[in-house]
Amino acid sequence: MPLSETTFITVVDATLGRLTGMIEAMDSEDVLEIEQTSGMLTIELPSGRQFVINRQIPARQIWLSSPLSGGLRFDYDEDDKVWKLTDGRRLDTLLKADLETLLEDEVEA
């Protein structure tokens, strides 16, 4: 049974808050522009490349646009309490890996 709209929004907001904290902790050089607005999180690198994470209420999904991974759609796994792709990859893990790769490239450049 899909999440109700109210529950979905609550879960997404909590997820975006956790992701924001994770990203801020990763940003030791303080080079990222991080903006969280209603249902959307934007992360901009010094190069101008962006990650956009936003909720899609009708689909009950979180969509990620990543400069490395492209556009991906995550469904909520109520048993594990995580956002996953159909192949099992998790939103938080994938985002962290992409950000680490891009931050390393930009800091070394």
Side-chain angles (χ1 to χ4, degrees), residues 23-69:
I23 295 159
E24 288 171 345
M26 291 175 63
D27 188 18
S28 59
E29 303 287 325
D30 197 29
V31 297
L32 298 175
E33 291 291 327
I34 304 165
E35 182 179 348
Q36 184 179 346
T37 57
S38 179
M40 185 161 75
L41 175 61
T42 306
I43 307 136
E44 186 170 335
L45 293 122
S47 65
R49 293 187 283 184
Q50 285 190 337
F51 290 83
V52 178
I53 304 154
N54 63 328
R55 68 179 182 218
Q56 296 296 320
I57 294 173
R60 299 294 193 268
Q61 293 177 323
I62 288 182
W63 290 3
L64 166 67
S65 173
S66 163
L68 285 184
S69 296

Side-chain angles (χ1 to χ4, degrees), residues 3-109:
L3 298 174
S4 72
E5 184 172 322
T6 304
T7 302
F8 170 77
I9 290 169
T10 301
V11 170
V12 170
D13 288 348
T15 300
L16 294 179
R18 281 193 304 277
L19 292 175
T20 299
M22 177 189 81
I23 295 159
E24 288 171 345
M26 291 175 63
D27 188 18
S28 59
E29 303 287 325
D30 197 29
V31 297
L32 298 175
E33 291 291 327
I34 304 165
E35 182 179 348
Q36 184 179 346
T37 57
S38 179
M40 185 161 75
L41 175 61
T42 306
I43 307 136
E44 186 170 335
L45 293 122
S47 65
R49 293 187 283 184
Q50 285 190 337
F51 290 83
V52 178
I53 304 154
N54 63 328
R55 68 179 182 218
Q56 296 296 320
I57 294 173
R60 299 294 193 268
Q61 293 177 323
I62 288 182
W63 290 3
L64 166 67
S65 173
S66 163
L68 285 184
S69 296
L72 301 169
R73 298 174 179 197
F74 294 83
D75 292 301
Y76 189 64
D77 182 323
E78 290 190 69
D79 293 332
D80 294 338
K81 306 285 189 231
V82 295
W83 294 92
K84 292 181 178 178
L85 294 171
T86 54
D87 65 10
R89 289 182 292 164
R90 293 170 43 146
L91 170 62
D92 54 350
T93 306
L94 194 143
L95 177 63
K96 186 173 192 269
D98 280 5
L99 267 169
E100 285 173 343
T101 299
L102 290 174
L103 279 172
E104 189 174 304
D105 289 348
E106 295 206 7
V107 171
E108 288 177 1

